[in-house]
Amino acid sequence: MKRIKNNITAVPFIFLGEKTLKIIKKLGRVVILFAKGLFFGFIPPFQFSKIIDQIYFIGAKSMLLICLVGSFTGMVLGLQGYYTLVKFGAEGMLGTAVALSIIRELGPVLTALMITGRAGSAMAAELGIMRNSEQIDALKTMNIDPVRFLISPKIIASIISFPLLTAVFDVIGILGGFITGSLLLGIDTGTYFSSIELNLVISDISEGLIKSIIFASLVTAICCYYGYYTHKTRAGFGAKGVSQSTTSAVVTSSVFIMAGDYVVTSFLL
Amino acid sequence: MNKEIIRFKNVVKSFGSNLVLDKISFSMFKGELTAIIGKSGIGKSVILKHIIGLLRPDSGEILFEGEPLSCMSEKTKHQLKKKCSYMFQGNALFDSMTVFDNIAIPLTEASRFPLFEIKKKVENIMEKLDLEGIESRYPAQLSGGMQKRVALARALITEPEILLFDEPTTGLDPIRKKEAHRMISDYKDKFGFTGVVVSHEIPDIFEISQRIAMIDNKKIIFEGTPQEITESVHPVIIEFLSK
């Protein structure tokens, strides 16, 4: 081993190997944390009140944000879609273009990104502070499993909230497209909605909802991981550790949402 | 001499390349208050965290009533943990929960007591520790001394057989320090638990402890009674006690 280390040509491979092992270890921890949290969600005693609290925090409190982002996304799509379709004389298909773009892609992706920024960062910060102030250790000393107590309700609540928020985003987005397409640019209301009805199939909706469930799992697993293991970050303990784990949680979740979107789309298409 | 309850046997612990405990061996006895003393950052809290199971030794053994911890089943460890409580140096109170919920949490989450009984138990312990009237307050709204008492109430609510205190007087003024020591001593007599206190409050801690273990340079350099430590001729002990 020493001989290999001394060999200058081996240095990049050693570096690569160490980095790869580190990433695999990290991924393993994320998966185990998520699997444990999900498992506890189905084992009595059920934590209904904590799950409802989390649904309120992740879901209900994100409604305004989702409505705002959804409406503006739909409005922009209405404008851009009209500008493109009118060149081909196909402006009657604007409803289909807006609805399919939102339901299959933008709805689940933007909803997940918005909740990551709002609730995911909060999850990471909350767990990070609890780790730094020994509250997680305190739970362990009291025979309370911190994954069950803290992470499980967040996972279950996310899996319930993400698809519902995505559905809200979809509806608001389609209405946003209607505002610009029909009310501002003059496309017939009937044409706009009937084109959606004619061309949208149930698999488009189910694909969007499947994506949102996958994104919910990704976001919660990543954000909870970074918060729970704040003490293992480079900055370690203290305010810097929490700030680093929160940033990492949001950035990593966002990257995984985009990458996951591509993978899921390629499988479902 | 009382029955030996916890025994450290050649315990070694390091964090990365930093060796903290080097083959330490000492014992704690039932019904006694054992004080672990030594300079700051020398590994006193690490010893406590090994007892409660937050840390595991790299080598060596921790024995509970003669049985090695490493040989115990998860179920036995779980049962054993139920007998222990830990009072953290920084209190580790849940800052987003009220005082009542903080004290009740070991019972609401890890026991099968009905809610009315939990309420009764919490009210009872709050009365004993002079904490009445602050049930709905949050830890951040309390003084340092009150936070300590809430942490003690949380540690006592399960009626533990072994209570571990990690520097219980940190951040308290001299009067409050004396009060905290008296409180630990009084409650030890009242509740009859075995106590382990990490402290560097010398000589105050000698007044309430029955046994002293001193750690220095990664090893236990003294184990005995408060009287014996004051009579010790070990140069490190003499230097430590004189400061």
Side-chain angles (χ1 to χ4, degrees):
Chain A
M1 189 68 192
K2 208 174 178 184
R3 255 176 60 199
I4 297 171
K5 275 197 171 173
N6 288 338
N7 188 347
I8 193 90
T9 53
V11 171
F13 295 103
I14 292 168
F15 175 77
L16 200 68
E18 280 174 350
K19 278 274 172 204
T20 311
L21 282 175
K22 216 171 160 186
I23 291 168
I24 290 170
K25 213 172 165 183
K26 212 175 192 180
L27 280 175
R29 275 209 206 111
V30 176
V31 172
I32 290 168
L33 191 75
F34 177 75
K36 226 176 136 183
L38 190 65
F39 172 76
F40 281 135
F42 298 100
I43 301 294
F46 300 110
Q47 308 181 87
F48 291 119
S49 65
K50 279 193 215 107
I51 292 171
I52 289 166
D53 281 349
Q54 287 298 321
I55 290 176
Y56 173 70
F57 175 69
I58 299 166
K61 281 192 148 183
S62 302
M63 276 290 282
L64 181 65
L65 177 71
I66 293 300
C67 289
L68 279 172
V69 176
S71 61
F72 285 114
T73 306
M75 285 162 82
V76 168
L77 274 179
L79 283 175
Q80 292 283 16
Y82 182 85
Y83 176 74
T84 310
L85 290 170
V86 82
K87 287 181 180 169
F88 306 102
E91 62 268 31
M93 296 302 284
L94 182 69
T96 310
V98 170
L100 281 178
S101 310
I102 287 178
I103 290 172
R104 291 176 68 98
E105 281 302 324
L106 293 172
V109 171
L110 289 180
T111 303
L113 289 173
M114 288 304 115
I115 306 177
T116 302
R118 210 196 69 80
S121 56
M123 283 180 208
E126 181 193 341
L127 291 169
I129 290 167
M130 288 188 84
R131 170 66 75 185
N132 282 352
S133 55
E134 294 182 307
Q135 292 175 47
I136 290 178
D137 283 342
L139 286 172
K140 286 183 190 168
T141 65
M142 290 180 236
N143 257 337
I144 302 167
D145 193 313
V147 177
R148 180 193 195 103
F149 185 74
L150 299 169
I151 295 174
S152 183
K154 290 181 173 56
I155 291 174
I156 304 294
S158 292
I159 290 173
I160 295 169
S161 304
F162 271 59
L164 292 174
L165 287 171
T166 303
V168 171
F169 187 102
D170 292 348
V171 172
I172 301 285
I174 291 168
L175 289 176
F178 166 73
I179 290 169
T180 47
S182 288
L183 300 183
L184 295 179
L185 299 167
I187 292 175
D188 180 58
T189 306
T191 310
Y192 182 85
F193 285 109
S194 64
S195 76
I196 296 175
E197 198 185 340
L198 277 173
N199 295 301
L200 199 72
V201 288
I202 194 73
S203 63
D204 295 322
I205 297 168
S206 59
E207 186 184 317
L209 294 180
I210 289 169
K211 276 185 182 177
S212 68
I213 292 170
I214 292 170
F215 295 157
S217 309
L218 280 173
V219 169
T220 328
I222 292 166
C223 293
C224 288
Y225 166 81
Y226 275 105
Y228 194 75
Y229 291 107
T230 291
H231 59 307
K232 291 196 189 285
T233 57
R234 215 172 296 153
F237 289 94
K240 258 192 174 178
V242 177
S243 114
Q244 194 187 311
S245 56
T246 311
T247 309
S248 303
V250 173
V251 172
T252 315
S253 297
S254 306
V255 171
F256 269 79
I257 287 166
M258 303 314 283
D261 185 40
Y262 171 74
V263 174
V264 176
T265 306
S266 59
F267 273 107
L268 291 177
L269 266 180
Chain B
M1 187 179 274
N2 288 329
K3 191 182 158 196
E4 183 184 75
I5 193 161
I6 303 164
R7 187 172 170 208
F8 275 61
K9 200 175 156 191
N10 296 324
V11 170
V12 176
K13 181 69 186 177
S14 51
F15 297 98
S17 58
N18 182 25
L19 181 67
V20 180
L21 305 177
D22 185 14
K23 289 189 176 175
I24 65 156
S25 300
F26 75 109
S27 302
M28 284 147 256
F29 295 88
K30 203 176 172 84
E32 289 187 352
L33 197 68
T34 303
I36 301 170
I37 60 169
K39 293 171 204 158
S40 297
I42 208 150
K44 302 187 293 291
S45 302
V46 173
I47 293 175
L48 281 197
K49 284 179 180 172
H50 274 88
I51 299 173
I52 199 80
L54 287 174
L55 294 172
R56 284 182 192 170
D58 297 337
S59 68
E61 201 58 77
I62 298 161
L63 298 106
F64 271 87
E65 291 174 337
E67 198 185 343
L69 201 61
S70 60
C71 299
M72 285 181 191
S73 65
E74 282 305 314
K75 201 180 166 189
T76 318
K77 275 186 202 166
H78 190 81
Q79 291 300 324
L80 183 72
K81 235 180 187 181
K82 274 188 173 177
K83 293 181 187 175
C84 302
S85 270
Y86 191 108
M87 195 176 149
F88 284 82
Q89 189 175 353
N91 302 323
L93 294 172
F94 301 106
D95 43 20
S96 51
M97 286 185 192
T98 61
V99 166
F100 183 93
D101 290 339
N102 261 288
I103 298 171
I105 194 173
L107 300 179
T108 52
E109 294 295 327
S111 79
R112 292 188 188 279
F113 286 108
L115 273 177
F116 74 91
E117 208 168 315
I118 292 174
K119 194 169 178 271
K120 216 167 118 186
K121 275 175 176 275
V122 174
E123 282 168 357
N124 192 19
I125 199 107
M126 287 184 81
E127 192 191 323
K128 280 181 181 163
L129 292 172
D130 298 325
L131 289 167
E132 296 125 305
I134 59 158
E135 296 86 347
S136 53
R137 286 204 214 162
Y138 288 88
Q141 297 172 308
L142 305 176
S143 67
M146 266 187 168
Q147 285 183 14
K148 286 267 172 225
R149 274 185 286 165
V150 173
L152 182 62
R154 188 176 70 181
L156 287 171
I157 193 91
T158 52
E159 295 169 14
E161 288 176 28
I162 302 164
L163 193 41
L164 313 170
F165 301 90
D166 193 354
E167 303 204 15
T169 53
T170 305
L172 299 181
D173 60 69
I175 296 165
R176 293 271 182 207
K177 269 179 194 171
K178 277 199 186 301
E179 267 179 24
H181 281 149
R182 202 184 58 234
M183 188 172 76
I184 291 168
S185 177
D186 287 352
Y187 289 117
K188 188 187 87 68
D189 297 338
K190 207 179 216 171
F191 295 95
F193 56 77
T194 302
V196 185
V197 192
V198 160
S199 178
H200 42 220
E201 298 298 339
I202 314 292
D204 296 1
I205 196 70
F206 295 163
E207 290 169 21
I208 62 163
S209 309
Q210 284 76 52
R211 285 189 77 76
I212 309 288
M214 183 168 169
I215 179 170
D216 189 68
N217 200 20
K218 307 167 184 78
K219 292 196 183 283
I220 295 288
I221 59 163
F222 174 85
E223 192 187 355
T225 63
Q227 171 129 23
E228 283 164 356
I229 198 167
T230 50
E231 290 164 0
S232 172
V233 289
H234 194 298
V236 178
I237 296 173
I238 292 170
E239 191 198 350
F240 185 74
L241 298 187
S242 63
K243 281 187 178 172

